[in-house]
Amino acid sequence: MIYRLIMTEHVPGDARLPQRKHLVTEIPGPVSRELLARRERAVARGVSNMLPVFVTDAGGGVIVDADGNSLIDFGSGIAVVSVGNAAPRVAARVAEQAARFTHTCFMVTPYEAYVEVCEELGRRTPGTYEKRSALFNSGAEAVENAVKIARHATGRQAVVAFDHAYHGRTNLTMALTAKNMPYKDKFGPFAGEIYRMPMAYPLRWPGGREACAAEALATVKGMIHAQVGEDNVAALIIEPIQGEGGFVVPPDGFLPGLAEFCREHGIVFIADEIQTGFCRTGDWFACEHEGVVPDMITTAKGIAGGLPLAGVTGRAEIMDSVHASGLGGTYGGNPVACAAALGAIETMAAEDLAGRARRISEIMLPRLHGLAEKYPAIADVRGRGAMLAIELTRPGTLDPDQATTAAVTRACHQAGLVTLTCGTYGNVIRFLPPLVIGEDLLDQGLSILEDAFAAI
Ligand SMILES: Cc1ncc(COP(=O)(O)O)c(C=O)c1O
């Protein structure tokens, strides 16, 4: 009960904003529609919006739009504001840092906050070995650098990635990303020496869920041996729970098996924890669930409460194999972003946000399973912590049901709940609430989802 009080009444970031849903216009309202028209004349079409309400304020578990509507946030800006929007410790540190200095470039004249973030990364990421970190601006940039470093350290070129993977939108990361539309279509040619392997996707594994881990592992090993050659592989990169590809949770045994295979063959095992990291799945990092210790880990999103920051953390001997000046960038590890990260990490530790992620799953999973029992279009309920999803198919088949996915999502949006979709087939609705969301708001959001299913 004490926990419930904490969840509902002590929500970081909510001091300014009532933690409730309140709609005063249709969604989007007239002011947002006007801004949308302006947006269409000024902003490139390729940059799209999931829900075109223009935000004026956000905090805790709500987003306030330009028409005065308060929406419930089940998206966290795609798994970024885990500590809540404008979280007090983040906002205070950012303001303080911005008033002192905003940029010197760490490669020109360094500052302590960068070092402190790298120390935190070294302490918090799995593995007790000696580590080094480097900071960048975005997840894609972190992945690019992880691959650069792994190639440099091993003197090998091939990189193994997986079906349904998402690693970013830059040239190399597009090559690592699996899905063509919208991420890759006609944006090639792509970077070479990328080899794609089947993913252990329990719902869709041809041999069934039980056989999935062992069969997928054997297939991947066999394909690497036959098509690439273990000694040519610099790195294997995998999301411990796939994000954009559909919140695919590999069955127990798959990740440890891959890690062991990499160890045997001197392949750098890179865990892309850009979406799963920083308490989202109920541990600081999703790899911890099975005790997997990667050689390198990429982080971004949740690390800095909404400011652009990303990291590559890895074994000291791998990271330090790169010559001086081989890594960097003008803005990487910007002091304001580092201050935000220190505020976000402090919040996660002080508020036990990993515990809150586990509590969120305790509340959400029974409701999602209840929905699945009622609506046969829900073929799968999956995820961990506050990274949960439902996959929709035509009942009794694995045929993706994009139409129902889109209709439910639209109904949620119109009723004031921000939900996101994902998945290779566009048939997954995912839930990524801020970890500080109050239980009342969580309940309300789930009721909106249930109503949306009832209405279609
Ligand atoms: C697992 C994973 N890797 C990489 C990225 C790319 O990160 P960014 O959008 O910051 O470049 C994302 C973004 O969604 C992601 O989920």
Side-chain angles (χ1 to χ4, degrees):
M1 274 305 107
I2 287 170
Y3 201 77
R4 190 179 167 87
L5 277 177
I6 289 169
M7 288 285 284
T8 51
E9 292 180 5
H10 180 63
V11 177
D14 75 340
R16 300 164 304 119
L17 298 178
Q19 294 294 296
R20 63 187 172 91
K21 187 199 90 168
H22 185 58
L23 298 189
V24 293
T25 68
E26 78 254 74
I27 300 292
V31 180
S32 278
R33 287 204 302 273
E34 220 177 288
L35 286 165
L36 190 60
R38 258 175 68 195
R39 184 223 117 101
E40 275 160 14
R41 290 190 297 273
V43 180
R45 193 174 62 143
V47 185
S48 66
N49 305 118
M50 186 90 201
L51 172 52
V53 295
F54 281 73
V55 178
T56 55
D57 237 324
V62 298
I63 292 176
V64 179
D65 76 8
D67 289 281
N69 299 299
S70 283
L71 295 90
I72 301 173
D73 184 10
F74 272 16
S76 298
I78 322 187
V80 171
V81 284
S82 300
V83 292
N85 232 306
R89 290 181 184 87
V90 173
R93 288 209 192 218
V94 163
E96 197 260 343
Q97 178 60 48
R100 283 194 298 126
F101 66 97
T102 48
H103 175 81
T104 62
C105 187
F106 189 75
M107 300 183 304
V108 179
T109 47
Y111 37 87
E112 187 179 355
Y114 188 117
V115 179
E116 233 179 309
V117 171
C118 292
E119 286 168 350
E120 287 286 0
L121 281 165
R123 253 195 305 275
R124 307 255 177 215
T125 51
T128 51
Y129 51 78
E130 197 176 336
K131 294 174 195 161
R132 302 281 186 272
S133 295
L135 303 181
F136 303 96
N137 304 294
S138 68
E141 208 188 335
V143 171
E144 290 255 355
N145 278 279
V147 170
K148 270 169 65 170
I149 297 164
R151 283 178 169 158
H152 201 278
T154 57
R156 306 172 180 180
Q157 293 186 352
V159 179
V160 167
F162 287 81
D163 283 337
H164 312 287
Y166 182 89
H167 297 291
R169 295 173 183 261
T170 56
N171 188 265
L172 173 60
T173 59
M174 271 193 294
L176 293 166
T177 289
K179 187 175 175 178
N180 177 49
M181 202 63 174
Y183 308 124
K184 301 168 74 164
D185 196 54
K186 298 188 177 58
F187 293 141
F190 303 112
E193 283 303 303
I194 307 293
Y195 297 88
R196 191 167 308 287
M197 299 293 147
M199 177 63 187
Y201 189 157
L203 177 72
R204 294 180 178 277
W205 189 257
R209 283 180 193 271
E210 291 306 310
C212 179
E215 286 184 11
L217 194 56
T219 307
V220 171
K221 288 184 192 176
M223 282 175 69
I224 292 175
H225 179 72
Q227 298 180 19
V228 197
E230 293 86 344
D231 291 351
N232 295 316
V233 182
L236 178 149
I237 182 163
I238 190 162
E239 301 151 83
I241 296 177
Q242 288 183 319
E244 308 304 299
F247 282 25
V248 178
V249 186
D252 284 356
F254 185 66
L255 292 175
L258 288 178
E260 192 188 326
F261 173 77
C262 287
R263 218 165 20 249
E264 275 168 17
H265 296 285
I267 298 168
V268 178
F269 182 91
I270 306 173
D272 181 348
E273 293 244 19
I274 285 165
Q275 191 151 161
T276 50
F278 286 102
C279 302
R280 174 56 54 187
T281 65
D283 291 297
W284 275 82
F285 294 93
C287 272
E288 293 171 56
H289 181 69
E290 283 191 88
V292 170
V293 178
D295 300 307
M296 222 187 250
I297 183 163
T298 53
T299 51
K301 290 191 182 277
I303 190 176
L307 271 84
L309 188 74
V312 178
T313 302
R315 291 184 186 276
E317 63 274 21
I318 297 175
M319 298 294 292
D320 282 344
S321 74
V322 178
H323 46 273
S325 300
L327 304 174
T330 304
Y331 294 115
N334 166 274
V336 182
C338 285
L342 295 172
I345 293 167
E346 190 192 338
T347 305
M348 289 176 217
E351 310 279 339
D352 182 23
L353 293 195
R356 288 202 189 193
R358 294 194 293 274
R359 175 73 182 139
I360 286 170
S361 79
E362 272 172 29
I363 294 169
M364 290 192 73
L365 275 178
R367 301 273 294 268
L368 296 177
H369 282 296
L371 266 179
E373 273 167 31
K374 208 162 161 192
Y375 300 101
I378 301 176
D380 203 14
V381 175
R382 58 179 181 250
R384 209 156 58 228
M387 183 173 180
L388 302 172
I390 48 178
E391 177 161 355
L392 280 70
T393 63
R394 272 178 269 288
T397 75
L398 288 179
D399 300 343
D401 186 349
Q402 294 99 341
T404 306
T405 307
V408 169
T409 304
R410 204 165 34 247
C412 287
H413 291 177
Q414 278 159 6
L417 175 67
V418 180
T419 54
L420 310 173
T421 56
C422 64
T424 298
Y425 315 109
N427 65 328
V428 178
I429 303 176
R430 59 173 152 172
F431 309 106
L432 293 159
L435 305 181
V436 297
I437 194 169
E439 282 190 22
D440 299 347
L441 219 49
L442 201 57
D443 280 347
Q444 260 189 59
L446 286 162
S447 298
I448 292 173
L449 178 72
E450 287 159 357
D451 292 347
F453 269 96
I456 51 145

